Amino acid sequence: MATLDEVIDGYLRHVTIERGLSANTLAAYRRDLGRYAAWLAAAGIQRPEEISETQIGAFTRQLETLPEAGVTAKPLAATSVARIVSSVRGLHRFLAEEGTTATDAAREVRPPKLGMRLPKAITMAQMTTLLESTGGDDPIALRDRALLELLYATGARVSEVVALNVDDVGSDDDFVRVVGKGSKQRIVPVGSFARAALDTYLVRVRPLFSARGKATPALFLGLRGDRLSRQGAWLVIQSAAKRAGLETHISPHTFRHSFATHLITGGADVRVVQDLLGHASVTTTQIYTQVTADTLRDMYQTAHPRAR
């Protein structure tokens, strides 16, 4: 029979091929299952057929007492515990399906319940102020305005936007081709404001920056002509938020959260928003409906004479 390390390697190859996992996600799976294998080895368990539901339960319970990596005093967050348990459940489901084990020993094991964390979006007025704070006619300002407008227009992750190439934003249409997690592509519309900002950047700024460095297909460039980094995009956002005088914390994901919240508030179907965001499951997108419901409740309680 195969050893634990061998079956874990087989499972990781399986999920990589089946799900098209990104390098970061695969590394998280490997780290979680490595922790699990080390715990089993310390308990004298070397082969998958020796693992019982009782032992899996003991492993998951002790996770709640372990520290986060690099933080000796802080215990594992519930989200980290849930992710590890999910990795373990996936491994045992795979072993049972492949016939490596007679049963799925983790079938009844459940991850801890997680409290709902509502995404932090800003209002439409605040977003307008933020975007319009990046004015001016100089090359940096024109590039930054195109970057910010595109982030809000598409709801794309900042990593997806800085990874865009010129060919992904054709000048003859109003769509952008975004490559998301697992190298999955999606087509996202671009509104007139973002399209105009992009066209100005492509005509007046990008050739100037490109001449300073080596040839690259990257859409957004730095001053030296190389692809703008995630850190560079983050600095652009922080600078714009400071100019706009917004007191709330603004991150790259604020644009994504605001994009989704504003669409649903405007009446967009949650499954359409799911496709635009590139979510694998509509459950992930439905959290934005909770945000808008909370907003409606607040408005009702403030305005209705018999609400309280």
Side-chain angles (χ1 to χ4, degrees), residues 139-147 201 205 209 220-222 228 236:
I140 292 293
L142 293 176
R143 182 206 61 187
D144 293 354
R145 181 62 179 264
L147 172 69
Y201 163 72
V205 180
F209 287 179
F220 289 109
L221 303 179
L228 186 69
V236 171

Side-chain angles (χ1 to χ4, degrees), residues 231-242:
Q231 178 67 13
W234 184 87
L235 291 173
V236 171
I237 293 168
Q238 296 306 302
S239 178
K242 185 177 181 179

Side-chain angles (χ1 to χ4, degrees), residues 210-252:
S210 180
R212 300 174 181 175
K214 297 179 180 179
T216 173
L219 174 62
F220 289 109
L221 303 179
L223 284 172
R224 297 180 179 178
D226 51 357
R227 184 183 295 272
L228 186 69
S229 66
R230 290 177 59 183
Q231 178 67 13
W234 184 87
L235 291 173
V236 171
I237 293 168
Q238 296 306 302
S239 178
K242 185 177 181 179
R243 287 194 304 271
L246 297 180
E247 296 181 0
T248 185
H249 174 68
I250 304 296
S251 71

Side-chain angles (χ1 to χ4, degrees), residues 7-18:
V7 297
I8 287 174
D9 284 343
Y11 173 62
L12 292 175
R13 286 195 298 271
H14 168 76
V15 294
T16 299
I17 295 170
E18 288 294 318

Side-chain angles (χ1 to χ4, degrees), residues 18 33 41 47 58 90 101 116 172 185 205 221 224 237 256 280:
E18 288 294 318
L33 294 175
R47 297 187 180 278
T101 58
M116 181 179 288
D172 296 332
Q185 293 189 10
V205 180
L221 303 179
R224 297 180 179 178
I237 293 168
R256 184 168 168 85

Side-chain angles (χ1 to χ4, degrees), residues 39 53-66 76 81 85 109-110 112:
W39 185 89
E53 181 181 333
T54 300
Q55 291 159 334
I56 298 172
F59 170 73
T60 59
R61 285 191 297 274
Q62 61 88 40
L63 286 174
E64 299 176 7
T65 66
L66 295 178
L76 277 174
V81 174
V85 173
V109 176
R110 295 289 179 266

Side-chain angles (χ1 to χ4, degrees), residues 16-162:
T16 299
I17 295 170
E18 288 294 318
R19 303 182 196 173
L21 299 181
S22 67
N24 288 340
T25 303
L26 182 61
Y29 270 67
R30 188 177 297 281
R31 186 167 55 250
D32 293 343
L33 294 175
R35 186 195 291 266
Y36 179 49
W39 185 89
L40 290 171
I45 300 170
Q46 300 293 333
R47 297 187 180 278
E49 65 271 18
E50 301 171 0
I51 306 171
S52 68
E53 181 181 333
T54 300
Q55 291 159 334
I56 298 172
F59 170 73
T60 59
R61 285 191 297 274
Q62 61 88 40
L63 286 174
E64 299 176 7
T65 66
L66 295 178
E68 287 279 9
V71 185
T72 56
K74 185 178 180 180
L76 277 174
T79 50
S80 298
V81 174
R83 190 197 66 237
I84 296 170
V85 173
S86 177
S87 298
V88 170
R89 281 168 51 86
L91 170 66
H92 281 281
R93 185 167 55 250
F94 169 75
L95 295 178
E97 290 173 352
E98 292 293 304
T100 303
T101 58
T103 60
D104 178 356
R107 183 177 55 191
E108 301 301 325
V109 176
R110 295 289 179 266
K113 290 186 177 181
L114 302 177
M116 181 179 288
R117 289 195 308 167
L118 298 180
K120 295 181 180 179
I122 58 177
T123 67
M124 297 180 196
Q126 288 174 319
M127 180 58 73
T128 299
T129 301
L130 179 61
L131 294 172
E132 292 182 351
S133 72
T134 306
D137 205 41
D138 62 281
I140 292 293
L142 293 176
R143 182 206 61 187
D144 293 354
R145 181 62 179 264
L147 172 69
L148 298 177
E149 288 280 5
L150 192 62
L151 279 168
Y152 180 53
T154 62
R157 301 172 181 90
V158 68
S159 57
E160 295 171 343
V161 170
V162 297

